[in-house]
Amino acid sequence: MMLNYDYPLYRPPSEARSLIFQVTLGCSFNECSFCDMYRSKEYSERPWDEVKLEIDMMAKQLPDTQRIFLADGDALNLDTEYMVKVVKYIKEKFQNLERISCYAMPMNILKKTPEELKRMHDAGLTMFYLGIESGSDVILKKVTKGAIAKTIIKAVNKAKDVGYTMSCMVILGLGGSKYSKEHIRGTAEVISACSPNYVGALTLYLENGIKDEFLTKFGEEFVPVSDEQALDELEDLISQIDVKDEVVFRANHGSNAYTIKGTFPQDKQDMLDKISWMKKHPEVIRPKGLRGF
């Protein structure tokens, strides 16, 4: 017997082989204009009896599970006591775990005290996935992110100080052609100021269900970047990121026209050299029919 998930169900690409427990349903914020992942759901927190039953069931079926992801999009919104209870019980039932992770909004990290974050980390929750999206406050407001650059930096550093592994996402093309330079400059500044352990670059992909809302909230004409402009953004982003700590960088998401990866700071020049090569070889582009957000 498998889990009876409340769909749609999402998880980061790196959690593809993870066991997923839905401790919350939907997203308590649910206002980001570029994201329609949870628009069909009303946010709720699942009761302990249901969560415990599922943990017990899967511990019997998949006792050697190594990674667990807590869904939906807002698990960190849970009360700290409840989260600690869930994580401790998971650790008790699965003896071979490498990590437990969840999505985290900047506002939810900032609402927790350092002591609360440490309690959850000590219990076994060790990794957060956080969307930076952009480092431009103008763009963050236009896409109703619910955060500004300063609070994103503060949230990432606050979690890192406690010991969390931080995996952050940015979105190429989020500001359109008009704000492209500002978008990349601000995004590079945010990454440089907080050095997430991992950074993934996606490309804006507006599905029909969210496109009208995005364009309306943007507040002015939005001209999407071309594939060539997206590659320019990627080049400028890599060029402007300045970190001393290692940051694993990936731009291999299915939404991207071009794929590149490396680790800052040591692979920075290699990545820039590869982009220069790709500009001379447009045949390596991923066909549009094979892309998706």
Short mmCIF file of all heavy atoms in Angstrom, two decimals, residues 12 16 27 43 46 50 53 60 90 104 112 165-166 180 210 225 238 240 273 282:
data_model
loop_
_atom_site.label_atom_id
_atom_site.label_comp_id
_atom_site.label_asym_id
_atom_site.label_seq_id
_atom_site.Cartn_x
_atom_site.Cartn_y
_atom_site.Cartn_z
N PRO A 12 11.61 19.39 -5.17
CA PRO A 12 12.77 19.85 -5.95
C PRO A 12 13.34 18.70 -6.79
O PRO A 12 13.21 17.53 -6.41
CB PRO A 12 13.77 20.30 -4.88
CG PRO A 12 12.94 20.54 -3.65
CD PRO A 12 11.83 19.55 -3.72
N ALA A 16 14.19 13.75 -6.25
CA ALA A 16 13.46 12.83 -7.13
C ALA A 16 13.32 11.43 -6.55
O ALA A 16 12.34 10.73 -6.80
CB ALA A 16 14.14 12.76 -8.49
N CYS A 27 0.09 26.20 0.04
CA CYS A 27 1.05 27.23 0.44
C CYS A 27 0.30 28.33 1.17
O CYS A 27 -0.70 28.84 0.66
CB CYS A 27 1.76 27.79 -0.79
SG CYS A 27 2.82 29.23 -0.47
N TYR A 43 -4.62 26.24 1.83
CA TYR A 43 -3.58 25.84 2.77
C TYR A 43 -4.17 25.22 4.03
O TYR A 43 -5.14 25.72 4.61
CB TYR A 43 -2.72 27.04 3.17
CG TYR A 43 -1.69 26.70 4.22
CD1 TYR A 43 -0.54 26.01 3.88
CD2 TYR A 43 -1.90 27.04 5.56
CE1 TYR A 43 0.40 25.66 4.84
CE2 TYR A 43 -0.96 26.70 6.53
CZ TYR A 43 0.18 26.02 6.16
OH TYR A 43 1.11 25.67 7.13
N ARG A 46 -1.78 19.21 8.21
CA ARG A 46 -2.37 17.89 8.43
C ARG A 46 -2.21 17.46 9.89
O ARG A 46 -1.16 17.68 10.51
CB ARG A 46 -1.72 16.88 7.49
CG ARG A 46 -1.95 17.20 6.02
CD ARG A 46 -1.47 16.10 5.13
NE ARG A 46 -2.22 14.87 5.35
CZ ARG A 46 -1.69 13.65 5.30
NH1 ARG A 46 -0.40 13.51 5.07
NH2 ARG A 46 -2.43 12.59 5.50
N GLU A 50 -2.82 11.54 11.24
CA GLU A 50 -2.69 11.16 9.83
C GLU A 50 -1.22 11.04 9.43
O GLU A 50 -0.82 10.08 8.76
CB GLU A 50 -3.38 12.19 8.94
CG GLU A 50 -4.90 12.21 9.05
CD GLU A 50 -5.52 13.23 8.11
OE1 GLU A 50 -4.77 13.81 7.28
OE2 GLU A 50 -6.74 13.45 8.20
N LEU A 53 0.42 7.94 11.04
CA LEU A 53 -0.01 6.71 10.38
C LEU A 53 0.78 6.47 9.10
O LEU A 53 1.20 5.34 8.82
CB LEU A 53 -1.51 6.79 10.08
CG LEU A 53 -2.14 5.55 9.44
CD1 LEU A 53 -2.08 4.36 10.40
CD2 LEU A 53 -3.59 5.84 9.05
N LYS A 60 7.60 0.60 7.49
CA LYS A 60 7.54 -0.85 7.31
C LYS A 60 7.82 -1.24 5.86
O LYS A 60 8.47 -2.25 5.59
CB LYS A 60 6.15 -1.36 7.71
CG LYS A 60 5.86 -1.24 9.20
CD LYS A 60 4.45 -1.71 9.52
CE LYS A 60 4.14 -1.56 11.01
NZ LYS A 60 2.74 -1.96 11.32
N ILE A 90 10.20 10.70 12.56
CA ILE A 90 10.75 10.17 11.32
C ILE A 90 12.14 9.59 11.56
O ILE A 90 12.46 8.49 11.10
CB ILE A 90 10.82 11.29 10.25
CG1 ILE A 90 9.41 11.62 9.75
CG2 ILE A 90 11.71 10.86 9.07
CD1 ILE A 90 9.35 12.82 8.82
N ALA A 104 11.27 26.39 2.05
CA ALA A 104 11.22 27.42 3.09
C ALA A 104 11.11 28.79 2.44
O ALA A 104 11.91 29.14 1.58
CB ALA A 104 12.48 27.36 3.96
N LYS A 112 11.00 32.33 12.71
CA LYS A 112 11.54 31.42 13.71
C LYS A 112 12.72 32.08 14.44
O LYS A 112 13.54 32.77 13.82
CB LYS A 112 12.03 30.12 13.06
CG LYS A 112 11.00 29.36 12.25
CD LYS A 112 9.96 28.68 13.12
CE LYS A 112 9.06 27.77 12.28
NZ LYS A 112 7.96 27.18 13.08
N THR A 165 21.80 23.37 5.41
CA THR A 165 22.24 23.42 4.02
C THR A 165 21.17 24.18 3.24
O THR A 165 19.99 23.86 3.33
CB THR A 165 22.40 22.00 3.45
OG1 THR A 165 23.40 21.31 4.18
CG2 THR A 165 22.79 22.05 1.97
N MET A 166 21.60 25.19 2.48
CA MET A 166 20.66 26.03 1.75
C MET A 166 20.79 25.82 0.25
O MET A 166 21.86 25.98 -0.33
CB MET A 166 20.90 27.51 2.09
CG MET A 166 20.64 27.87 3.54
SD MET A 166 18.94 27.56 4.07
CE MET A 166 18.02 28.66 2.98
N SER A 180 16.29 43.38 -17.35
CA SER A 180 17.25 42.27 -17.39
C SER A 180 18.53 42.59 -16.63
O SER A 180 18.99 41.80 -15.79
CB SER A 180 17.58 41.92 -18.84
OG SER A 180 18.51 40.86 -18.90
N ILE A 210 -1.32 30.69 -15.27
CA ILE A 210 -0.76 31.75 -14.44
C ILE A 210 -0.35 32.98 -15.26
O ILE A 210 -0.10 34.05 -14.71
CB ILE A 210 0.47 31.21 -13.67
CG1 ILE A 210 0.78 32.07 -12.43
CG2 ILE A 210 1.69 31.11 -14.57
CD1 ILE A 210 -0.23 31.91 -11.33
N VAL A 225 12.40 37.69 -22.41
CA VAL A 225 13.75 37.63 -22.99
C VAL A 225 13.80 36.49 -24.00
O VAL A 225 13.09 35.49 -23.88
CB VAL A 225 14.83 37.42 -21.91
CG1 VAL A 225 14.83 38.57 -20.91
CG2 VAL A 225 14.65 36.08 -21.19
N ILE A 238 26.89 34.68 -13.73
CA ILE A 238 28.10 33.96 -13.33
C ILE A 238 29.28 34.92 -13.20
O ILE A 238 30.08 34.83 -12.25
CB ILE A 238 28.41 32.85 -14.36
CG1 ILE A 238 27.34 31.75 -14.27
CG2 ILE A 238 29.80 32.25 -14.12
CD1 ILE A 238 27.42 30.71 -15.38
N GLN A 240 29.21 38.05 -12.38
CA GLN A 240 29.08 39.00 -11.27
C GLN A 240 29.04 38.35 -9.89
O GLN A 240 29.19 39.03 -8.88
CB GLN A 240 27.83 39.86 -11.48
CG GLN A 240 27.92 40.78 -12.69
CD GLN A 240 26.64 41.55 -12.94
OE1 GLN A 240 25.99 42.03 -12.01
NE2 GLN A 240 26.26 41.67 -14.21
N ASP A 273 33.80 30.33 -20.02
CA ASP A 273 34.37 29.85 -21.28
C ASP A 273 33.37 28.96 -22.02
O ASP A 273 33.25 29.02 -23.25
CB ASP A 273 35.66 29.06 -21.02
CG ASP A 273 36.80 29.96 -20.56
OD1 ASP A 273 36.70 31.19 -20.74
OD2 ASP A 273 37.79 29.42 -20.02
N PRO A 282 24.94 27.42 -31.50
CA PRO A 282 23.52 27.47 -31.12
C PRO A 282 22.80 26.13 -31.30
O PRO A 282 21.70 25.95 -30.79
CB PRO A 282 22.94 28.53 -32.06
CG PRO A 282 23.90 28.59 -33.21
CD PRO A 282 25.24 28.32 -32.64
#
